[in-house]
Amino acid sequence: MEEKKIRNMDELATVIGISRPTLSKYFNDPTKVRSATRERIEAALDQYDYRPNMFAMNQNRRSTRNIGIVVPTIADPFFSEVVRHVEMRCTAAGYWPIVIPSHGATEQELAALDTLRTLKLAGAVIAPLGETSDVERLRQFADETPTVLFDSYLDVGQTFVGNDNFNSIGLMVDYLCRTGQPPCFLDMPAVNLNASERRDAYTASMERLGHEPYVVPISRSNWNFEELGYEEGVRLISNREFPSGTVLCANDRMAIGLLAAAYSKGLRVGRGSGCAMRIAGHDDHPLARFTCPPLTTVAQDYTAIAERSVESLFALIDGNSGAAVPAIQKLEARLIIRDSA
Amino acid sequence: MEEKKIRNMDELATVIGISRPTLSKYFNDPTKVRSATRERIEAALDQYDYRPNMFAMNQNRRSTRNIGIVVPTIADPFFSEVVRHVEMRCTAAGYWPIVIPSHGATEQELAALDTLRTLKLAGAVIAPLGETSDVERLRQFADETPTVLFDSYLDVGQTFVGNDNFNSIGLMVDYLCRTGQPPCFLDMPAVNLNASERRDAYTASMERLGHEPYVVPISRSNWNFEELGYEEGVRLISNREFPSGTVLCANDRMAIGLLAAAYSKGLRVGRGSGCAMRIAGHDDHPLARFTCPPLTTVAQDYTAIAERSVESLFALIDGNSGAAVPAIQKLEARLIIRDSA
DNA sequence: GGAAAAAATTACCGCGCGTAAAATACTATC
DNA sequence: GATAGTATTTTACGCGCGGTAATTTTTTCC
């Protein structure tokens, strides 16, 4: 193991006995050099552990291999899971994922876009805040960078990947009506378009089945869904204000809060006899399997959302790859029947 | 609002009527230029919305304002919370946080270090894998970059910030013994040094109180703690193998699994009469408040860990700032008594 | 063995900025 | 208001790589 320090491409090229442009080509696409050359390079490469300087590399490129990822928060398991998958796929494809959370704030989302602009991105995967997003600025951003939006729909970017709320809520409402009392709907804060879409889907499904919809509104608006679910649940149960013994929650985190509220009030939750309430959620939160009772829910396929987003983005980046990317990609969800409803 | 596009520092400097290096100094530290100059620059700055090119900026610097953050996973709420806080603090201080998950794999951790090395970091905050970390390579890395380790102790880097497991476990064992049957200990997989430290702390605490310790071992080793807790719980309850009706779990995620197991087996958990089991956790997982029953646990202060890590790192970066950074910083935890034990 | 195609080389410029040393502008002092 | 001393700005140079075009070398194929 020679310990001669390699400072740049030139030195490495000299040591190998080839020219720098050839080495440069290798780093940009190993198949662009003859296999014999490639082997010599790779042999030298694990002898000297040289790595091209990221900054110098990207400075002179029209587009880099950086991919920006913007999400409202990484503390929510949905986003952390999707981000995790997106990152892994990007890395595997030789891209460089850069995650910037917008922390639920409009200015931070805009700051993230500004930051990403200086990075000459190959593309971006963005879960916009939704209601509070600056649509105009987002569109401006998407105009100059291949952009995939996910989770919360906005008419921005080349494509959107998200859950088909009408399908998933429909599945759940059907199931709940078929097996017991028609559900009321515990709304979530209007933090994004999923909120209203799910509410609308609930109403539509109920009406389709000939039942009176009943939406329990949420007054406050923040991302502490469990707490909202819990507090609202305690209040409603105490005042006997739940219009139905079956409650469909707009998402699992609300449902987890509601489960805790029911427990604290001594209400038995489930579909067995002797149960006072049925509670269902939406998303298949990683812990939904482990609530007491296990939560009946609709599974958004986290992995699929991540993969479709990334694949769409890669297609957009390649550009020429005939396969046009559809403007809207809604993924079907899967009903997960557990014990809570 | 003039719409002349500014492409680089040169153009902006010309427009302002100063030299480019002066402008450069301003961006690196606004106090380094005369206030009159600063005002002219800032006036121009909000007229032209120019942003320096990140790559060109960093290429020629000895050290950048990049801060690397390496964690085993962002899917675990402990890490996602700490990362969130660290990111926010870094951004607020004008640094550029870059998160790279090691996904629980040694090679990925090493790859992360390699990647970070090319970034000429100002510093790094690392939660090492622990048992499976390549200590030698980590140390090598820490030798050339100011590095703070957190969560899982290794004798690497300039300082370590973590929970004082002997304190926290001691608190919990004391409490449990004081209020009922002495606990057995449901071990966690040996993914890092916290695992063995907590086990040792449990044993020591029990012996101190004159009780026989009993550790329930976990055979498999992965990060799906809830699942492990659940499956092990079901098995142990079915076979009546729990040596005590009080179970202290090595972390909350195991406890959440065990709660689900108890529920599925019809065992009532809590400290009231008529309860068959007491279950306690460790960490104060964000959902621990919302389990059924709410989980008695010891709160690691996520925010404090993040802040101490970042502050220590900043102190290391400043270097000269007299205040020496202690090699090991163990934070005290807080007993959180809820209903499960 | 020779022509065509593929790969590698040479030679050059540009990117947008950092940095050390030199030059200039300020400030304090008397 | 002249001078020394310091704070600020400018000059001059380099960083490590990408990109292109023209040329040379190597490989492939008939």
Side-chain angles (χ1 to χ4, degrees):
Chain A
M1 169 84 83
E2 311 248 340
E3 266 314 323
K4 188 172 182 176
K5 292 264 169 133
I6 301 292
R7 318 196 139 278
N8 53 39
M9 265 199 193
D10 244 328
E11 288 190 18
L12 184 59
T14 307
V15 168
I16 300 178
I18 59 177
S19 72
R20 192 190 51 73
T22 302
L23 196 49
S24 174
K25 263 188 195 162
Y26 168 83
F27 281 113
N28 287 316
D29 185 352
T31 69
K32 292 280 186 193
V33 303
R34 205 180 336 230
S35 57
T37 313
R38 197 181 318 153
E39 281 162 20
R40 290 172 61 194
I41 294 177
E42 276 159 4
L45 226 43
D46 55 34
Q47 188 179 153
Y48 292 106
D49 100 281
Y50 159 81
R51 306 199 54 164
N53 179 313
M54 263 224 63
F55 303 111
M57 259 182 71
N58 288 326
Q59 153 161 11
N60 222 4
R61 279 213 177 106
R62 316 176 177 290
S63 159
T64 67
R65 290 186 77 80
N66 299 331
I67 289 190
I69 304 172
V70 183
V71 290
T73 173
I74 55 165
D76 185 296
F78 169 72
F79 291 117
S80 64
E81 273 300 311
V82 173
V83 164
R84 195 167 66 90
H85 280 105
V86 170
E87 275 184 329
M88 288 169 62
R89 303 280 299 208
C90 288
T91 305
Y95 286 89
W96 170 282
I98 297 166
V99 182
I100 306 187
S102 54
H103 296 303
T106 310
E107 322 83 61
Q108 300 233 42
E109 189 171 74
L110 289 176
L113 297 185
D114 273 344
T115 299
L116 292 181
R117 280 203 313 155
T118 75
L119 256 40
K120 302 185 197 166
L121 297 185
V125 179
I126 301 180
L129 292 176
E131 289 294 328
T132 55
S133 284
D134 185 330
V135 180
E136 200 39 59
R137 294 278 295 274
L138 265 171
R139 188 170 290 134
Q140 212 170 303
F141 175 88
D143 278 348
E144 57 188 35
T145 307
T147 302
V148 172
L149 258 60
F150 77 97
D151 184 51
S152 175
Y153 179 74
L154 290 179
D155 183 18
V156 160
Q158 284 73 37
T159 183
F160 167 79
V161 176
N163 180 65
D164 185 344
N165 289 312
F166 279 86
N167 165 61
S168 60
I169 294 283
L171 280 177
M172 181 59 87
V173 171
D174 281 354
Y175 164 75
L176 292 175
C177 291
R178 194 167 68 235
T179 53
Q181 198 181 359
C184 61
F185 184 80
L186 182 60
D187 207 5
M188 64 185 277
V191 290
N192 60 33
L193 265 47
N194 277 324
S196 54
E197 209 172 282
R198 288 181 190 174
R199 188 187 331 113
D200 294 347
Y202 161 77
T203 306
S205 300
M206 289 291 277
E207 284 169 351
R208 173 168 50 77
L209 295 174
H211 297 121
E212 175 87 9
Y214 195 100
V215 175
V216 180
I218 287 285
S219 48
R220 286 173 303 160
S221 179
N222 61 54
W223 284 80
N224 302 129
F225 298 152
E226 295 88 359
E227 192 176 320
L228 292 176
Y230 176 79
E231 291 181 358
E232 203 64 10
V234 166
R235 191 179 63 75
L236 291 166
I237 293 171
S238 301
N239 303 347
R240 303 181 181 285
E241 282 182 1
F242 267 120
S244 164
T246 302
V247 184
L248 170 54
C249 301
N251 64 51
D252 280 353
R253 293 179 56 197
M254 302 278 303
I256 287 172
L258 182 55
L259 278 174
Y263 184 91
S264 79
K265 285 294 173 183
L267 257 53
R268 196 175 166 81
V269 173
R271 49 199 160 95
S273 60
C275 290
M277 262 183 108
R278 294 193 302 165
I279 295 177
H282 189 293
D283 289 350
D284 200 24
H285 187 289
L287 290 190
R289 281 176 58 197
F290 301 103
T291 57
C292 302
L295 188 63
T296 290
T297 185
V298 206
Q300 283 199 66
D301 192 338
Y302 295 23
T303 315
I305 291 180
E307 289 187 353
R308 282 285 272 280
S309 300
V310 174
E311 276 159 22
S312 301
L313 184 60
F314 287 170
L316 288 173
I317 292 174
D318 287 351
N320 46 16
S321 76
V325 179
I328 296 184
Q329 305 182 60
K330 299 229 174 188
L331 302 181
E332 304 235 318
R334 205 159 35 87
L335 188 63
I336 309 273
I337 299 172
R338 300 204 180 94
D339 294 343
S340 75
Chain B
M1 170 86 81
E2 310 248 340
E3 266 314 321
K4 188 172 185 178
K5 293 263 171 136
I6 300 293
R7 317 196 140 276
N8 53 38
M9 268 198 192
D10 244 329
E11 289 190 19
L12 185 58
T14 306
V15 169
I16 299 178
I18 57 178
S19 75
R20 188 187 54 71
T22 302
L23 197 48
S24 172
K25 266 189 193 158
Y26 168 84
F27 281 114
N28 286 316
D29 184 350
T31 70
K32 292 280 186 193
V33 303
R34 207 187 323 243
S35 56
T37 315
R38 195 182 321 152
E39 280 163 21
R40 291 171 63 194
I41 294 176
E42 276 160 3
L45 226 43
D46 56 33
Q47 188 178 154
Y48 292 108
D49 103 282
Y50 157 81
R51 305 199 54 162
N53 179 311
M54 264 225 62
F55 303 111
M57 259 181 72
N58 289 326
Q59 156 163 16
N60 230 355
R61 273 211 180 113
R62 317 181 172 292
S63 160
T64 66
R65 290 186 75 81
N66 299 331
I67 289 189
I69 304 171
V70 182
V71 291
T73 173
I74 53 165
D76 184 296
F78 170 72
F79 291 117
S80 63
E81 273 299 311
V82 174
V83 164
R84 195 166 68 88
H85 280 105
V86 171
E87 274 184 328
M88 288 169 61
R89 303 280 299 209
C90 289
T91 305
Y95 285 90
W96 170 280
I98 297 166
V99 182
I100 305 186
S102 54
H103 298 303
T106 309
E107 323 83 60
Q108 299 233 44
E109 189 171 73
L110 289 176
L113 296 184
D114 273 345
T115 299
L116 292 181
R117 281 202 314 152
T118 75
L119 256 41
K120 301 185 197 167
L121 297 184
V125 179
I126 300 181
L129 293 176
E131 289 295 328
T132 55
S133 284
D134 185 330
V135 181
E136 201 39 58
R137 294 277 296 273
L138 264 171
R139 188 169 293 135
Q140 213 171 302
F141 176 88
D143 278 347
E144 58 188 33
T145 308
T147 302
V148 173
L149 258 61
F150 76 98
D151 184 50
S152 175
Y153 179 74
L154 288 180
D155 182 20
V156 159
Q158 285 71 36
T159 183
F160 166 79
V161 176
N163 181 64
D164 183 343
N165 290 311
F166 279 85
N167 165 62
S168 60
I169 293 283
L171 280 177
M172 180 60 87
V173 172
D174 281 353
Y175 165 75
L176 292 175
C177 290
R178 194 167 66 233
T179 53
Q181 197 181 0
C184 62
F185 184 80
L186 181 59
D187 208 7
M188 64 184 277
V191 292
N192 60 33
L193 265 48
N194 276 325
S196 54
E197 209 172 284
R198 288 180 191 175
R199 189 186 330 113
D200 294 347
Y202 160 76
T203 305
S205 301
M206 289 290 277
E207 284 170 352
R208 172 168 50 77
L209 295 174
H211 297 121
E212 176 88 8
Y214 196 101
V215 174
V216 180
I218 286 287
S219 47
R220 287 173 301 162
S221 180
N222 62 55
W223 284 82
N224 301 128
F225 298 152
E226 295 87 359
E227 192 176 321
L228 291 177
Y230 177 80
E231 292 181 357
E232 204 63 11
V234 166
R235 191 177 65 75
L236 291 167
I237 293 171
S238 301
N239 303 347
R240 302 180 182 286
E241 283 182 1
F242 266 121
S244 165
T246 302
V247 184
L248 170 54
C249 300
N251 64 50
D252 281 353
R253 293 178 56 196
M254 303 277 304
I256 286 171
L258 181 56
L259 279 174
Y263 184 91
S264 79
K265 286 295 175 181
L267 258 50
R268 195 174 168 80
V269 173
R271 51 198 159 97
S273 60
C275 290
M277 262 184 109
R278 295 193 302 166
I279 295 177
H282 188 294
D283 289 352
D284 199 24
H285 187 290
L287 291 191
R289 281 178 55 197
F290 301 103
T291 57
C292 302
L295 188 62
T296 290
T297 186
V298 205
Q300 282 199 66
D301 192 338
Y302 294 23
T303 314
I305 291 180
E307 290 187 353
R308 282 285 271 280
S309 300
V310 174
E311 276 160 21
S312 302
L313 184 60
F314 289 170
L316 288 174
I317 293 174
D318 286 351
N320 46 15
S321 75
V325 179
I328 295 184
Q329 305 182 59
K330 298 229 174 189
L331 302 182
E332 304 236 318
R334 206 158 35 88
L335 186 64
I336 308 272
I337 299 171
R338 299 205 180 93
D339 295 343
S340 75

